[in-house]
Amino acid sequence: MDSLEARSRDVQERTFCKWLNTKLETNGYPAMTSLVKDLSDGDTSLGRYNRNPRMRVQKAENVNKALEFITSRGVKLTNIGPEDIIDGNLKLILGMIWTLILRFTIADISEEGLSAKEGLLLWCQRKTAPYKEVDVQDFSLSWSDGLALFANLVHGRCALIHCHRPDLLDYDMLDKSDRHANTRLAFQVAADHLGIPQLLEVADLCDTARPDERSVMTYVASYFHAFSSMEQVETVSRRVEKFAELMHSVWLSKNDYERRARELLSSISVTQARWAAAEFTGTYANAKEHSASFTAYKQTTKRAWVTERQDVTTLFGNIQTKLRTYGLREYAPPPGLALSDLDAAWNELLMSEAKRSRAINAEIRQIKEALRKAFADLANNFEKRLRSISSELAGIEGALEDQQEQVTQLRTKLPLLRDGLAAVINAEDECRAANVDENDYTVFTCQDLEFELELLEQSISKKIAFIDNQIVSRNMTNLTPAQLEQFESTFRYFDRDETNTLNQPEMAAALASLGIVYSDEDMDIIYDQLLQDYGAITFETFINLLVEITEDQTSPEQLREAFRGIANDKPFVTELDLRVAQLPASAIEYLRQAMPPAADGVGDAEYDYEAWLDALQINSQSRWLVRACTPPQDLRGPEMDVWADETLRTVEAGRRRASQSGVGVSPECLETYQTLKLGKKIKYIIYTLNPDNTQIVVEKQSQSTNYDDFLADLPENEPRWAVYDFEFEKEGAGKRNKITFFSWSPDDSKIKKKMLFASSKDALRRALVGIAAEIQGTDYSEVAYESVLDKVSRGA
């Protein structure tokens, strides 16, 4: 036991002496060789002391000064006085030195609030924890193999040394069983590379059963302070690094802020300059382009700027926050890039936006107003030109040829009017494209002006047709004025498309209204022939046709002279004479059968043309009607003559009765008509001829308002006349009534019946005063309600 304590004192003496030497050498004092010898004279540098003490009292004074100094530093010394040191009491001296070691080397070691010893032990355990071969439980046996020292040496502060100097040792290559070599290597590396003096010997750790705890703690504390210094250096470096990173981050953020702020301000300035330089071309399309561009800017660019402004403001705040966190001076942006500059630019942008919006809206309003005025000027001027030409048309007078020339001159102005209307339409289209609905500068619309132009064109066409027809009528000296008036009114009535020409159905209806009815086959022939002769059925053509029908262009005497010429003045004519005259074979065959044989004829068949002509003293219109009535195909010779004679007699009788008022109108017809006209108690009346064909009578009168009932009362295959109180609705004007006269002559009627009714119509028609419209019907489609409504409602 005494040997163990002696060994421990010996180890402590050497270790503590080396520890003191490290302090002395650091401060420039000579090293000690022995704690007992070198401390006994009390040599100290604390004020005045005895430099070469020879007497005990001098040594005591020096030692006492040293002890007082140690006490003044807060180190409590117990059971030791100057005499103990002068007398070389090693045990007390070692106790004093241990107290100093604890105070100045170990006391400041603290881990989680533990005492110095426990803190140092905990620190060692943490540093050696990664090593399986190391188990630090104390400062004695745990350090005997050197592995702990090596582990602390190499992996202190979480393997800091190994991280920075992996070339010092290869821990995994050590021979874990060679304690001496491992401990020696640890001492050497610590002294050579870490600046830790070797306070212990290899034997102090490896050749003793229980290493001295205080000596080991003193040595291990050197590791702690060495690594702590390294940690402090690292902490300082880390702090500098962190600060450098912070400042670099702030620098980047500053640059980013300045760049983005500068770009935002530049973009705002460029946009404002572009708005200021923008010009309008004066068209609505251009103004809408400006408006669309401004709207797109607000929905895209402006929103991006709002986001960017917010981001830049946030970035600026982040920079200031970082600087304030480290107590640094706040960031002051370059002139013109401060947040206040951004706010000022933004406020200016808002004002520019408002100005731009007002300019666009004002331009659009101005353009709309200009479009209104432009349309109104064109429309008003166009209407003025229309009225001027209408006035000229109404004022035309003088000879027919002069009137014809004046109207023709007016018609040459119509294309210019059409062009003018096109300009008005274009102006209206521009207004419509600009959403201009109202216009206080004019009351006219394109529809109004187009209607008036069409009316003027129709009026000019009608005037030209009227003058042309009057010239034709004037030149027709072989017709009576009454005939011309009747023919002209008939032509105008059936010229439904107002082209002053008749197509085939119109011509057939016009002739039928005059009592001249042909079969469809004959009408085809006549119409085609007229087209070949005249090119179109104009009024002149129509009048010439009627003249040919109603006048005998070849007198009976001229016809006799023609036959005498063919017969070479003989009282009879032969077939050879007819052939020599180059008559068609069909005409020769007809004449052979129609003419009676000569009473004294000899040789070739001789025909008495004189007797035959005497029997055919009829007017030319009857001959047209006979030719229009195609005889049955099985009639030949005398039977054909009988048929022709009967037809002619029927026609002549009807025309004679009509012209001489032979067909009368019964009083009942007029009374019933007056009741329908004035009392409104009768809806329609059906008229017909009495059985003797001498008087027009009432066949039926009805109060039924059903139009289908009226149609049912019209026979399918017999002619009739009718009067119908036609009621209809006129848009915007309420109900209207027109008394309408119907001439019903179905295609399936017998020709004799149709001729009788056609020739007797005028007697009834002239007796009915107040007829507003006339309808000619040959089948039910022509008298259908919709067809009649279309005709009756015109001009209502």
Side-chain angles (χ1 to χ4, degrees), residues 427-484:
E428 186 179 63
D429 290 341
E430 291 181 2
C431 289
R432 189 179 297 110
N435 297 320
V436 175
D437 297 325
E438 74 291 340
N439 196 331
D440 295 335
Y441 301 103
T442 184
V443 297
F444 302 110
T445 66
C446 283
Q447 291 76 11
D448 298 335
L449 299 177
E450 187 170 17
F451 174 78
E452 292 187 22
L453 176 58
E454 290 177 352
L455 193 63
L456 177 61
E457 291 172 340
Q458 293 174 6
S459 298
I460 290 177
S461 297
K462 289 179 180 179
K463 187 69 173 180
I464 291 176
F466 175 77
I467 294 174
D468 291 344
N469 295 347
Q470 289 299 307
I471 293 175
V472 171
S473 299
R474 183 193 62 187
N475 296 335
M476 288 295 174
T477 57
N478 48 357
L479 291 178
T480 65
Q483 286 177 312
L484 284 173

Side-chain angles (χ1 to χ4, degrees), residues 126-259:
R126 287 178 174 174
K127 298 301 179 182
T128 59
Y131 303 93
K132 297 179 181 179
E133 298 84 357
V134 179
D135 184 15
V136 178
Q137 298 296 329
D138 53 36
F139 290 106
S140 181
L141 296 176
S142 298
W143 303 87
S144 62
D145 61 359
L147 291 179
L149 288 176
F150 178 73
N152 284 285
L153 174 67
V154 180
H155 294 282
R157 196 189 174 276
C158 300
L160 180 62
I161 299 301
H162 186 269
C163 177
H164 289 83
R165 296 293 304 275
D167 57 311
L168 294 180
L169 288 174
D170 189 348
Y171 179 80
D172 294 331
M173 296 300 293
L174 293 177
D175 184 0
K176 306 303 188 295
S177 63
D178 190 351
R179 295 184 300 160
H180 290 77
N182 293 339
T183 303
R184 188 178 298 106
L185 182 60
F187 285 158
Q188 182 179 350
V189 172
D192 294 343
H193 298 286
L194 300 177
I196 299 174
Q198 184 177 336
L199 302 182
L200 297 174
E201 299 296 334
V202 175
D204 295 337
L205 295 176
C206 299
D207 296 339
T208 180
R210 188 177 183 85
D212 181 63
E213 183 180 60
R214 291 182 177 181
S215 298
V216 171
M217 286 181 63
T218 301
Y219 184 57
V220 172
S222 300
Y223 279 84
F224 175 83
H225 288 293
F227 285 123
S228 295
S229 298
M230 294 178 63
E231 288 179 353
Q232 290 176 0
V233 173
E234 184 178 343
T235 299
V236 171
S237 299
R238 188 167 58 252
R239 185 175 292 116
V240 172
E241 178 186 358
K242 185 176 180 180
F243 182 75
E245 290 177 352
L246 169 69
M247 296 309 295
H248 184 255
S249 172
V250 170
W251 180 79
L252 291 177
S253 297
K254 287 181 180 179
N255 288 342
D256 190 33
Y257 167 80
E258 293 174 9
R259 177 185 59 80

Side-chain angles (χ1 to χ4, degrees), residues 524-579:
D524 291 340
I525 296 172
I526 295 172
Y527 186 77
D528 291 341
Q529 185 62 46
L530 291 174
L531 288 181
Q532 292 179 12
D533 295 342
Y534 298 97
I537 312 303
T538 62
F539 178 70
E540 183 178 7
T541 304
F542 184 70
I543 292 296
N544 289 336
L545 173 63
L546 292 176
V547 167
E548 185 178 354
I549 293 174
T550 56
E551 285 192 346
D552 187 4
Q553 299 295 337
T554 302
S555 65
E557 186 60 33
Q558 289 174 328
L559 187 59
R560 290 179 189 274
E561 289 296 327
F563 269 95
R564 288 170 183 165
I566 292 175
N568 294 317
D569 293 329
K570 298 191 299 291
F572 58 86
V573 65
T574 66
E575 183 177 351
L576 180 60
D577 294 332
L578 297 176
R579 293 183 184 280

